[in-house]
């Protein structure tokens, strides 16, 4: 499984003003633990409690009644039936709760094991069912099943609501809790209770987990009505994506293509830098690809890098409800500059950037620090992208291996 909107979608850049952000985060979440928490002379639970309750109070930020937290921890330590309580888990729970209180489904605290799992997912290799999930409108939903994954073979679709996981109600679970329940060793099974829009009842789907290896890009050349069309199937935006794009473009230009279809359907996103590189294949150098707007109102603009060998090439971008994040950046940038037409269904609407920040003890926090706007100022996070040519893919189409969206793209490029 991918983590966050994300099993694979990191959507973060190297930290901007790392020290500043790190200090702010510590003040809000960690500082109340006391500046002595990490010292080696703190050995016992009683010592840790002392830091929580005494020295920490001296330096806590004002304006908030931190005694509520400290008194709760003291009460647990004094009266909990199964004393001594696991103070490390209490710490993780406190920090996780603080981040969850932001009410942002993409900001999460990652204890050491989850942080290590996330690192492996960024490499595109993990065990799971091969689907990205998210919490949207307080409901656990499938963003996209990955290609050739157990999730796709089990006929999961973007937009499916996950009502239960192995019989456990998903309502109230954090995203990391849900991912933890769905993820598992290759060969084991998980039962998801799914509700799909347009249907009257839920269904149970049994999925056998497998080792997931996510291929970034595949391409093919086809001839339709006497015209050569290059198809780029972009599954994610990884470190290797642009190199693979260059190889595909070399092949296309060598064969003399007449048009390009960039298929971003069910692409959950990836690295911002890669999205800019991909869009640069169509745009002039210094044309804006995306605007990143921070909480303090400042903006950072990301411009095309040049090497636009597909400039002027008739292009269709296919999107659907599983197109998220970096996919929306590319689609929105190309659309706003008038170099491509969008075909398919409305995109997912995840236009935010997360920064992965290292904390003490090998933990990390994945924190939303900005939102993305298209060059024309369209807020991707709130609205997603509406295609100029809306073409739905029905369950009947899906089950019969028909693809009216791709067919419409061929029509537009060959008419």
């Amino acid at each position: 499984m991918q983590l966050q909107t994300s099993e694979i979608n990191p959507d973060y850049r190297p930290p901007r003003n790392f020290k500043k952000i790190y200090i702010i985060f510590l003040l809000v979440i960690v500082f109340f633990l006391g500046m002595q928490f990490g010292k080696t002379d703190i050995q016992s639970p009683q010592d840790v409690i002392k830091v929580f309750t005494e020295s920490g109070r001296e330096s806590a930020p004002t304006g908030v009644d931190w005694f509520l937290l400290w008194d709760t921890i003291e009460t647990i330590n004094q009266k909990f039936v199964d004393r001594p309580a696991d103070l490390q888990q209490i710490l993780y729970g406190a920090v996780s709760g603080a981040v969850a209180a932001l009410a942002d489904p993409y900001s999460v605290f990652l204890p050491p094991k989850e942080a290590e799992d996330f690192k492996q997912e960024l490499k595109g290799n993990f065990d799971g069912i091969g689907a990205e999930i998210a919490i949207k409108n307080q409901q656990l939903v499938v963003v996209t099943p990955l290609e050739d994954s157990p999730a796709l073979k089990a006929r999961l679709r973007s937009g499916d609501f996950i009502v239960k996981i192995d019989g456990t109600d998903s309502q109230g679970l954090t995203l990391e809790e849900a991912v933890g329940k769905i993820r598992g060793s290759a060969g084991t099974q998980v039962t998801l209770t799914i509700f799909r829009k347009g249907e009257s009842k839920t269904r149970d789907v049994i999925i056998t987990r497998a080792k997931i290896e996510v291929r970034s890009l595949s391409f093919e050349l086809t001839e339709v009505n006497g015209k050569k069309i290059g198809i780029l199937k972009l599954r994610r935006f990884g470190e290797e994506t642009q190199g693979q794009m260059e190889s595909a473009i070399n092949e296309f230009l060598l064969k003399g293509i007449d048009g390009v279809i960039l298929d971003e359907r069910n692409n959950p996103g990836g690295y911002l830098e890669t999205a800019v590189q991909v869009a640069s294949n169509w745009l002039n150098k210094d044309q804006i690809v995306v605007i990143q707007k921070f909480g303090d109102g400042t903006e950072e603009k990301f411009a095309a890098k040049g090497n636009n060998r597909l400039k002027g090439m008739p292009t269709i971008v296919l999107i659907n409800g599983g197109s998220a994040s970096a996919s929306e950046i590319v689609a929105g940038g190309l659309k706003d500059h008038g170099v491509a037409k969008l075909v398919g269904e409305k995109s997912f609407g995840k236009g935010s950037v997360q920064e992965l920040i290292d904390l003490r003890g090998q933990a990390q926090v994945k924190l939303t620090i900005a939102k993305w706007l298209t060059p024309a100022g369209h807020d991707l996070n709130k609205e997603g992208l509406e295609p100029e040519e809306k073409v739905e893919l029905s369950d009947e189409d899906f089950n019969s291996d028909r693809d009216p969206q791709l067919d419409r793209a061929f029509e537009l490029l060959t008419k």
Side-chain angles (χ1 to χ4, degrees), residues 284-303:
N284 292 329
K285 186 176 182 180
D286 296 330
Q287 281 188 295
I288 301 303
V289 176
V290 67
I291 302 167
Q292 191 162 276
K293 188 171 184 179
F294 294 89
D296 61 2
T298 61
E299 293 182 348
E300 188 173 1
K301 297 180 179 181
F302 294 86

Side-chain angles (χ1 to χ4, degrees), residues 227-245:
K227 291 190 175 182
K228 295 178 181 178
I229 306 298
I231 303 173
L232 296 164
K233 174 62 178 176
L234 190 53
R235 299 178 180 87
R236 70 182 184 107
F237 291 81
E239 294 178 350
E240 75 288 352
T241 302
Q242 178 57 15
Q244 296 176 4
M245 281 282 292

Side-chain angles (χ1 to χ4, degrees), residues 135-172:
I135 293 177
K136 196 167 188 180
N137 298 322
Q138 289 77 53
Q139 292 181 303
L140 190 64
V141 63
V142 176
V143 176
T144 179
L146 304 180
E147 191 159 319
D148 297 326
S149 67
L152 189 63
K153 293 173 183 176
R155 300 291 185 178
L156 286 190
R157 297 196 65 185
S158 174
D160 284 345
F161 294 103
I162 302 175
V163 181
K164 294 181 180 180
I165 305 168
D166 282 333
T168 300
D169 196 331
S170 67
Q171 191 73 31

Side-chain angles (χ1 to χ4, degrees), residues 223-367:
E223 189 167 325
V224 179
N225 296 331
K227 291 190 175 182
K228 295 178 181 178
I229 306 298
I231 303 173
L232 296 164
K233 174 62 178 176
L234 190 53
R235 299 178 180 87
R236 70 182 184 107
F237 291 81
E239 294 178 350
E240 75 288 352
T241 302
Q242 178 57 15
Q244 296 176 4
M245 281 282 292
E246 290 175 359
S247 296
I249 293 171
N250 287 341
E251 184 74 13
F252 289 168
L253 297 181
L254 185 65
K255 297 294 178 62
I257 59 169
D258 300 297
V260 171
I261 296 173
L262 178 61
D263 189 348
E264 293 189 324
R265 292 176 296 179
N266 297 326
N267 182 324
Y271 291 110
L272 172 61
E273 287 84 354
T274 303
V276 173
Q277 289 173 343
V278 169
S280 297
N281 291 295
W282 283 267
L283 300 176
N284 292 329
K285 186 176 182 180
D286 296 330
Q287 281 188 295
I288 301 303
V289 176
V290 67
I291 302 167
Q292 191 162 276
K293 188 171 184 179
F294 294 89
D296 61 2
T298 61
E299 293 182 348
E300 188 173 1
K301 297 180 179 181
F302 294 86
K305 308 294 185 181
N307 194 33
N308 52 349
R309 294 189 295 157
L310 293 177
K311 179 184 178 182
M313 181 67 66
T315 300
I316 301 293
V317 180
L318 297 179
I319 60 172
N320 66 3
S323 305
S325 197
S327 297
E328 294 170 294
I329 286 177
V330 172
L334 297 186
K335 174 181 179 293
D336 280 4
H337 287 295
V339 301
K341 177 174 285 189
L342 308 187
V343 173
E345 299 167 90
K346 185 178 180 179
S347 65
F348 184 78
K350 184 194 175 296
S352 61
V353 58
Q354 283 71 46
E355 190 168 291
L356 194 62
I357 303 172
D358 291 332
L359 303 177
R360 61 180 68 196
Q362 297 184 316
Q364 293 177 322
V365 63
K366 185 165 173 274
L367 191 68

